Amino acid sequence: IIKLKNESEKLWEKIIEKTKIIHNNREKVIPEIENEIVSLLKELAMPDAIFKIELKSDTQYNINGNDKIRFLFSANKGTEPHEIGKIASGGELSRLMLAVKSTISGKNLIPTLFFDEIDTGVSGETAGKVGTIMKKMSADMQLIAITHLPQIAAMADFHLNVVKEIKNEKPVTRIFYLKSEERINEIARLLSNEKITDAAKMTAKELLNFN
């Protein structure tokens, strides 16, 4: 029993030593991550955004150490940052998540990212900036995005059209690879009402940089 207790104490010493290393490494990189995310948020039309990572040691240990981490955020000048889930609106959350994932993508940690309407709550010039950041991300990894915004859809290198149908009283999803003219038509559809107009097609060509 004494021998096992001594071994246990030595193991706990190693655990504490390793968790201190993990904690110190996190402390070192937090300012860099905060600055990178705030810089991206400014690009996404949030000039007064604040993003903070709160790091505190806890008494509970697990495979990731013993830190408790909170992400704090404020979009407006003069507003104290609070936990993201309690303060961010839909549009703010979309842009914040894009900034976070863009930062992650630059570290080559994951080969593929899926975005399911990451552009919720954004439009106009901001949507264009969201698309530009996503385009940059796709240079280092595979990025698959579901979107209904033409400014963002037009940034893609390839387009797939997802169609839901009912067959034999059961829902069926079919995916089609779109060729040149089909890409123009689908972007134009996003720009139109019921009827695709020539003006919408012209705009679609401009967005796609088609001559």
Side-chain angles (χ1 to χ4, degrees), residues 27-63:
E27 276 193 327
K28 288 176 187 175
V29 299
I30 280 175
E32 179 188 341
I33 294 170
E34 290 175 341
N35 291 335
E36 195 168 339
I37 289 173
V38 168
S39 177
L40 284 166
L41 290 173
K42 286 180 179 178
E43 284 186 44
L44 295 168
M46 299 176 74
D48 300 315
I50 299 171
F51 179 80
K52 294 289 181 185
I53 300 174
E54 182 183 271
L55 181 70
K56 289 184 179 179
S57 295
D58 192 54
T59 55
Q60 299 293 318
Y61 290 79
N62 59 49
I63 195 169

Side-chain angles (χ1 to χ4, degrees), residues 98-207:
L98 177 62
V100 170
K101 290 187 176 184
S102 177
T103 302
I104 292 171
S105 72
K107 312 302 178 188
N108 295 320
L109 297 174
I110 41 181
T112 302
L113 264 181
F114 285 83
F115 284 154
D116 187 359
E117 299 191 19
I118 191 74
D119 44 45
T120 299
V122 301
S123 60
E125 183 184 356
T126 304
K129 289 179 178 178
V130 168
T132 300
I133 290 174
M134 290 168 70
K135 184 75 172 177
K136 288 178 184 176
M137 291 170 65
S138 71
D140 300 312
M141 65 190 308
Q142 178 176 242
L143 195 152
I144 299 171
I146 299 168
T147 183
H148 293 96
L149 287 182
Q151 301 99 311
I152 291 175
M155 292 282 186
D157 295 317
F158 304 97
H159 288 98
L160 299 171
N161 189 21
V162 181
V163 179
K164 293 181 180 179
E165 301 173 343
I166 301 295
K167 281 196 173 183
N168 299 322
E169 299 184 357
K170 290 183 179 180
V172 176
T173 301
R174 300 172 68 193
I175 301 176
F176 300 91
Y177 174 76
L178 300 180
K179 296 178 182 178
S180 180
E181 192 65 29
E182 293 169 328
R183 292 174 71 187
I184 294 169
N185 287 337
E186 284 304 319
I187 299 294
R189 194 187 305 280
L190 294 176
L191 291 161
S192 305
N193 291 321
E194 293 180 11
K195 183 181 178 182
I196 298 177
T197 63
D198 291 336
K201 283 189 176 183
M202 287 294 294
T203 304
K205 285 182 180 180
E206 288 178 13
L207 288 172

